[in-house]
Amino acid sequence: MEEKQISQTQLCALLWAGLMAPAAELLPAVTLPIAGRGAWLSALAALPALLLLGWGLGRLGLRHGGLAGAIRWGLGPVLGRLVLLLYFIWGELLLALRLRLCAQRLIASGERDGSLWFFLPAAALLVLWMARGKLSAFARAGQVFLAVLLTAAGAVLLLSLPQVRGEHLLPLWWGDALPVLRSTEPLLGVLGYGAFAAFLLGDTEPSPRRGRDWVLWAGGGCLLLGAEQAVVIGNLGPELARRLNSPFFALAKSVGVEGAFQRVESIIAALWTFADLSLLGVLAFALWKATKQIFPRAKQKPAVTAILIPGAVLGIAAFPEGVMADAFGRETALLGNLMMGLALPLLVLAVCWGREMFRHSPHFVYKSVRKTEDMVAEEQSEKKTEKTEKND
């Protein structure tokens, strides 16, 4: 059965729904040590780089069936497979990390001792069920997940606005501009998870508005991340927000409405499972697309099963303690995402554009025409020889 394509809007919804998981855990804690009280501007400072990278990967991925196809086309069958294998290994590590952090959040949301051996396999089985199905069904679920997450995040931020203190955010001077620009490095590391969504570009419907849509989605996402960081810093202060794990969830502990509800952090943490499922699903489908390019005869359901089972085992074995998972997510994962989500895609873009320019160069066109003419002349000579032999 032919796989139904998804729209550009659905892919963007999946992307930003998934990115809300690491953003809630790491922002603004990873940008504050660099930019101080100006950390809330880091998302806006990163917007130009995000727009350019998304535009480039979008054009390249749509031409070659996604980022995996572009890597194979641009780097060749041997080097392309090696690079895809690197993406596969890194994706497995991120899959294990996200499964571990998702289970950790589910345990914490119950406000009692829970078993990692129950929550992590349960999350892995749910992702496996989604990834063995159609991408179109998962994309429709992602739109619902994003709507729920935006509603929950909006409620927390709006209810926290009265406690924002201006001295925690301002004043900012020209001397703060360089630290703000430098703070885009860890923020792009957080957003680097989204590079795996480029593997799914081959399954999207062509749209003449894709460039405009990406500008709107990227701009809206960066504004939301900026607002989240501003409210967290304005409430908790730069020093406290810097020391906390998951500052957004710490902020949710102070949210309440007199006479209605007082503590909503458990509900918010549980709802953020939708963000984990979105990101885990994107990773699983992306790794399946990479597997298909490495092993063309691979089938989706066995491949996805082979991807998820090691990820679940690695999530328990590599991160037996929550502290280890948090440290890996704050340091190694961000550095790896910068390499695999920013540096390597830029290299692939440069190589692919270089190949396209060479293919359209006059020298290449001349050689192609000469080669075609020689082939035609040789074919005509063979036909003439055969005709002569028949006449004799």
Side-chain angles (χ1 to χ4, degrees), residues 68-107:
I71 291 173
R72 277 288 308 274
W73 180 84
L75 303 181
V78 177
L79 183 58
R81 281 190 171 95
L82 290 176
V83 171
L84 287 173
L85 186 60
L86 287 177
Y87 269 106
F88 186 89
I89 295 171
W90 182 244
E92 278 285 351
L93 286 174
L94 293 183
L95 192 70
L97 174 65
R98 296 313 313 174
L99 283 171
R100 179 62 177 86
L101 292 174
C102 177
Q104 185 172 314
R105 188 178 301 116
L106 288 172
I107 294 172

Side-chain angles (χ1 to χ4, degrees), residues 355-373:
R355 286 196 61 179
E356 289 179 354
M357 290 177 64
F358 178 74
R359 287 171 64 90
H360 292 89
S361 66
H363 177 69
F364 182 83
V365 173
Y366 173 75
K367 290 182 64 176
S368 300
V369 172
R370 286 294 302 271
K371 185 176 180 180
T372 303
E373 290 176 350

Side-chain angles (χ1 to χ4, degrees), residues 136-204:
S136 56
F138 174 59
R140 290 192 295 270
Q143 290 178 293
V144 179
F145 293 164
L146 181 62
V148 174
L149 291 167
L150 288 177
T151 302
V156 171
L157 296 180
L158 286 175
L159 292 173
S160 302
L161 278 178
Q163 285 78 42
V164 172
R165 299 177 60 182
E167 59 268 24
H168 290 160
L169 302 172
L170 298 171
L172 295 174
W173 309 104
W174 288 109
D176 298 308
L178 183 59
V180 168
L181 290 176
R182 289 177 52 230
S183 69
T184 60
E185 179 181 338
L187 187 133
L188 288 174
V190 174
L191 299 180
Y193 283 95
F196 284 91
F199 284 79
L200 308 180
L201 282 168
D203 295 291
T204 57

Side-chain angles (χ1 to χ4, degrees), residues 202-227:
D203 295 291
T204 57
E205 300 170 348
S207 171
R209 298 178 52 191
R210 63 177 180 270
R212 189 188 315 168
D213 289 344
W214 173 242
V215 171
L216 293 176
W217 278 96
C222 287
L223 285 175
L224 178 62
L225 294 181

